[in-house]
Each structure stands twice: as C-alpha cells, then as structure tokens.
Amino acid sequence: MRFVNRIALAALPLLFACQTVPPATVPKATPIQAPLGPPPKPRIALVLGGGAARGFAHVGVIRALEQEKIPIDMIIGTSVGSLIGAIYAADVSSFELEWTAFQLEKDDIFDFGVMNAVAGMGFAKGDKLEAWVKSHIKPANIENLRIPFAAVATDLNWGYKVVLDKGSLARAIRASAAIPGVFQPVQHQGKILVDGGVVDNIPISVARARGADIVIAVDISANVGNTNITNLVDVTLQATNIMFALNVEQSKKNADLLITPLGIGDIGMLDFTQKKRCMQAGIEATQKALPGLKQTIDAWVAARSRSATPAP
C-alpha cells in the first residue's frame, strides 16, 4: 500500500505538468480614431439680377456679406449684375467695389444718338460701356478673375440663354447688359446677343449647373406699375421691366436665400442719382437675411458631416 502511495505521489507533478495552461487574457485594444478633419464647406454662389441703376444695391449686398465673412465661391450676373459682379470678382474687396462702382455715371454707359436709333437697332451703341469696363477692371479675360464668374446674355436669333464664362470680360458685360431697344445687340462668339434678363433675370439655374450648394440671389426688379410713360425710351424700358418681372417670378423660387432690397423699386433704370439709397437698401436687406443664411450654411455642414461619418 505504501508502495502504491509513493507511486501516486511521484506521478502528481507529471499529471499537473501535462494539463493545458489557459492562455493569458489580453485586454482588447482601444481602436485609435483618426483625427477629425475640417468640416465640409458648401460652394456658395452669389447671383446678381438685372435692374440698371438699381444695381448699386448689389454693392451694399456684397459689403454686408464680406463684413460677415460669408465666402463667395462663384458669381453669376445678368445685365448690371454682371457688371457689379465682375468688379468684385476681379479684386475681392467691397471697398474697391464701392470706389469703382460709384465712379460710374449714366454718360459713361449710354452713348445715345439719333442716328443709332434710325440706322441701328438701339438708341445707344454700347461702346462707352465696353470702354469703361476695360479702363476700370484690370483682367481683360473672364478666366483671369479671382472669383469664378459668368455673365448671362440672350441669343437674339433663337432665344437661348447664353452663359459667357471665358474670353473678353468687357464684351461679355456689354452683351449681358444690352437692353433690347435701348442698346444695340452685340456680336460676340458668333452670336447676336442682348440682355440676359430677356430669358433669365436672376440666373439661379446657371449657378446650380456649375455646382453651387447654396445660392444667394439678389432681386432688384422694378415695381411693374408705371403711369409716367411719355416717350419711346420709357415704352422700351417699361416693356423690359414687365418682361424681367415675369421670368424673375419663376426663377427666384429656386434660391436658398433671396435678398430683395426694399424701397428701390420706384427708381428708374436710368436714374443714377440714387446710388447711396440703393446701396443702403442692399446693406439693410442683407443684414436682415444673414441669420437665415447662417442657419442654411450650418444645416448644410451638419448634414454633410453626418453623411461623411462612418457607421460604428
């Protein structure tokens, strides 16, 4: 019996040595999260509508946006909107924009002449406007502007909307602002062009087609009612106002933010005496709209950030 016990005691170490040792428990590694990058930024387009002398309201809109550091990634303009937009796109300074725009007078644009109307296709040729642009905006071509830019005109032969985004800046602005009956049509890029407001006075669709995520549109349309029509120029301008108002009603619905400067709808298209009034109206309308714009931008950023976040 003692012999058996001794054998059993001697075998115990071997028995325990043959048992499987459970693996050591390794704590789970905490996944390392990559550092978050900057939040996405929307491409913001500023769309400036036509309205001749009321276009000085665009200067106030741009000043207010710049003061609030709202980035502008592209500018699309029709008629006077193309002129004001191009001045800003060239320099990206609301101070320089105001300085340059306020030098503009009616006689710098309208080269009226009796023979123009009799022998041509408009009261004014448009040479003065083109020369003014060349002397006041440094880049000669649209491609050289600091902010991507396009001017909208109308193909007079076929009624198509024409987007001018390359080539001569002065010629593009002249074509975009060639109010039918007031200015002679413009030969450009193999087409006969007139004011873009004929087909689209607030060309929001152009901004969308060029990849804009958020569109700020500025409507400076006139009050359509007018009982002071006394000559052929008045008739032409009133017909133009009616035409512009009709297509604005359709296009402005597609803006993320529509800015409508108040109290300037009664200013005549050729009245360059109300520059300060128009500019102040643009500032005030933009300041009023800024909270809604910032909410729109924040909502866009939040939605894109959520879609970019991988599922756990």
Side-chain angles (χ1 to χ4, degrees):
M1 191 65 173
R2 289 179 181 177
F3 177 73
V4 173
N5 289 339
R6 287 177 182 173
I7 293 175
L9 289 172
L12 279 175
L14 295 174
L15 180 63
F16 284 110
C18 292
Q19 287 184 343
T20 304
V21 179
T25 303
V26 179
K28 290 183 178 180
T30 303
I32 299 174
Q33 293 185 345
L36 296 176
K41 293 182 179 180
R43 291 193 74 200
I44 300 177
L46 179 62
V47 177
L48 304 177
R54 293 184 299 276
F56 291 100
H58 292 322
V59 179
V61 171
I62 291 171
R63 179 201 268 191
L65 291 173
E66 187 180 272
Q67 286 176 341
E68 291 298 318
K69 296 181 171 55
I70 302 297
I72 301 300
D73 299 296
M74 72 177 80
I75 298 175
I76 313 296
T78 288
S79 200
V80 70
S82 72
L83 174 60
I84 300 299
I87 296 171
Y88 187 67
D91 204 289
V92 198
S93 166
S94 63
F95 176 81
E96 291 297 330
L97 168 63
E98 182 179 346
W99 175 261
T100 302
F102 273 64
Q103 296 177 54
L104 184 64
E105 298 294 343
K106 182 171 69 173
D107 290 340
D108 293 321
I109 296 178
F110 297 100
D111 42 5
F112 289 117
V114 175
M115 291 305 297
N116 295 335
V118 174
M121 292 185 283
F123 290 99
K125 291 190 294 183
D127 291 343
K128 276 191 172 183
L129 172 57
E130 188 168 352
W132 190 93
V133 172
K134 288 180 178 178
S135 64
H136 287 80
I137 304 179
K138 290 181 181 179
N141 293 321
I142 296 174
E143 301 95 310
N144 301 127
L145 296 172
R146 296 178 64 183
I147 297 176
F149 168 84
V152 174
T154 301
D155 185 320
L156 184 61
N157 289 120
W158 304 105
Y160 298 144
K161 178 162 51 184
V162 178
V163 180
L164 303 170
D165 59 1
K166 59 178 66 69
S168 170
L169 177 63
R171 197 74 172 174
I173 292 172
R174 177 177 175 177
S176 180
I179 302 169
V182 176
F183 285 102
Q184 293 187 14
V186 178
Q187 293 273 357
H188 186 50
Q189 296 185 357
K191 302 178 179 67
I192 301 176
L193 302 177
V194 294
D195 196 303
V198 172
V199 290
D200 197 350
N201 202 39
I202 307 182
I204 295 166
S205 61
V206 177
R208 295 291 187 198
R210 300 170 79 85
D213 299 305
I214 294 175
V215 175
I216 305 168
V218 186
D219 179 14
I220 55 169
S221 301
N223 298 335
V224 174
N226 183 359
T227 59
N228 187 29
I229 301 173
T230 60
N231 54 55
L232 184 55
V233 174
D234 289 344
V235 172
T236 302
L237 292 176
Q238 176 62 3
T240 300
N241 283 333
I242 294 170
M243 179 172 50
F244 286 4
L246 290 174
N247 69 53
V248 162
E249 283 303 311
Q250 295 300 317
S251 61
K252 69 183 184 182
K253 298 174 184 178
N254 297 318
D256 295 290
L257 180 72
L258 181 69
I259 298 174
T260 306
L262 300 178
I264 64 170
D266 62 331
I267 296 175
M269 295 180 76
L270 307 185
D271 185 358
F272 280 64
T273 67
Q274 304 293 322
K275 296 176 185 177
K276 285 289 186 183
R277 175 182 162 193
C278 289
M279 179 177 170
Q280 187 60 36
I283 292 172
E284 292 173 359
T286 307
Q287 289 174 338
K288 185 177 179 180
L290 278 169
L293 173 60
K294 291 179 179 179
Q295 288 178 2
T296 300
I297 293 173
D298 290 344
W300 187 95
V301 171
R304 295 305 184 280
S305 297
R306 284 195 299 270
S307 64
T309 303

